[in-house]
Amino acid sequence: MTLEKKILSLEEFLQMDKENEHRLEYFDGEVVYLESPSVEHQRVLLNIAAEFRNYFRGKSCEVFISPLDVWLTNKEKTTKVKVQPDLIVICDKTGLMENAYEGVPALVIEIISTSNQAHDRIRKYSTYMEFGINEYWMVNPELKTVEVYVLEEDEYKQAAIYKGSDCAASQIFDGLNIHLKEVFSKN
């Protein structure tokens, strides 16, 4: 996934976003164009989403997959940020709108590829930490790993790196364990 960047005001971005068919993210003036995900990316996302959906069925939190615009907000930040995470878990549903969510998801998952690693590992990692997202998973289909980070005292701490036949375990949702063999299965 190659990323192209452009600087715009929020008003310019909102107009551009309406008229554009590309997936766009906005980081306080900087626009990032996201390419379409690969087949493997979509396969892994679908496998994870199925596991998350099963876990959250009947619970108060809800799972959403990309593309869903997420406007990160909280009381302390005046920065305007719009992202499109691959998967989010929302527990505070007051920010849900018809085509977007405004607020702070409880958990975010990004599926990384060689071409977007810096964006997910640096830009999104620091942004998600700054806005107080409690748990961040980075899924690497190439290495078949899942890295889990949990927010402690306003900083992410790496809880674990899962691989092989491991089960990736959420640190904030008790009993949410995802079998990596299922995540990286091609069937």
Side-chain angles (χ1 to χ4, degrees), residues 105-181:
L107 184 149
V108 169
I109 294 179
E110 295 288 358
I111 299 170
I112 61 174
S113 67
T114 306
S115 59
N116 76 349
Q117 276 197 59
H119 186 62
D120 290 341
R121 288 192 178 283
I122 300 168
R123 164 61 69 70
K124 285 190 168 180
Y125 175 95
S126 61
T127 299
Y128 295 161
M129 184 170 55
E130 177 185 343
F131 279 89
I133 294 172
N134 290 323
E135 192 164 312
Y136 179 34
W137 290 26
M138 279 189 266
V139 178
N140 188 325
E142 188 177 323
L143 298 177
K144 297 186 176 12
T145 60
V146 174
E147 299 171 37
V148 175
Y149 297 88
V150 66
L151 194 64
E152 293 178 7
E153 298 175 11
D154 298 326
E155 287 191 20
Y156 278 139
K157 305 288 190 241
Q158 188 175 66
I161 298 176
Y162 299 99
K163 61 186 177 196
S165 60
D166 291 346
C167 281
S170 172
Q171 304 301 298
I172 62 171
F173 295 108
D174 192 40
L176 175 56
N177 300 301
I178 307 299
H179 298 274
L180 268 61
K181 289 200 183 263

Side-chain angles (χ1 to χ4, degrees), residues 24-169:
L24 303 174
E25 293 184 327
Y26 184 78
F27 294 88
D28 201 26
E30 185 178 335
V31 178
V32 178
Y33 294 78
L34 303 175
E35 288 186 2
S36 294
S38 69
V39 169
E40 185 61 18
H41 177 283
Q42 293 298 85
R43 182 180 288 128
V44 168
L45 176 57
L46 183 60
N47 290 344
I48 292 172
E51 297 282 323
F52 269 69
R53 178 69 183 117
N54 287 339
Y55 174 83
F56 284 102
R57 183 171 276 124
K59 294 182 171 67
S60 62
C61 298
E62 197 168 350
V63 178
F64 294 91
I65 60 172
S66 183
L68 178 69
D69 292 344
V70 176
W71 285 94
L72 295 175
T73 59
N74 65 23
K75 290 177 178 69
E76 296 83 32
K77 306 296 176 223
T78 57
T79 306
K80 301 290 184 197
V81 175
K82 181 194 118 178
V83 291
Q84 287 196 351
D86 291 311
L87 183 145
I88 58 174
V89 176
I90 296 174
C91 299
D92 175 6
K93 297 182 188 175
T94 58
L96 272 175
M97 298 171 270
E98 184 178 341
N99 297 318
Y101 174 72
E102 187 173 318
V104 179
L107 184 149
V108 169
I109 294 179
E110 295 288 358
I111 299 170
I112 61 174
S113 67
T114 306
S115 59
N116 76 349
Q117 276 197 59
H119 186 62
D120 290 341
R121 288 192 178 283
I122 300 168
R123 164 61 69 70
K124 285 190 168 180
Y125 175 95
S126 61
T127 299
Y128 295 161
M129 184 170 55
E130 177 185 343
F131 279 89
I133 294 172
N134 290 323
E135 192 164 312
Y136 179 34
W137 290 26
M138 279 189 266
V139 178
N140 188 325
E142 188 177 323
L143 298 177
K144 297 186 176 12
T145 60
V146 174
E147 299 171 37
V148 175
Y149 297 88
V150 66
L151 194 64
E152 293 178 7
E153 298 175 11
D154 298 326
E155 287 191 20
Y156 278 139
K157 305 288 190 241
Q158 188 175 66
I161 298 176
Y162 299 99
K163 61 186 177 196
S165 60
D166 291 346
C167 281

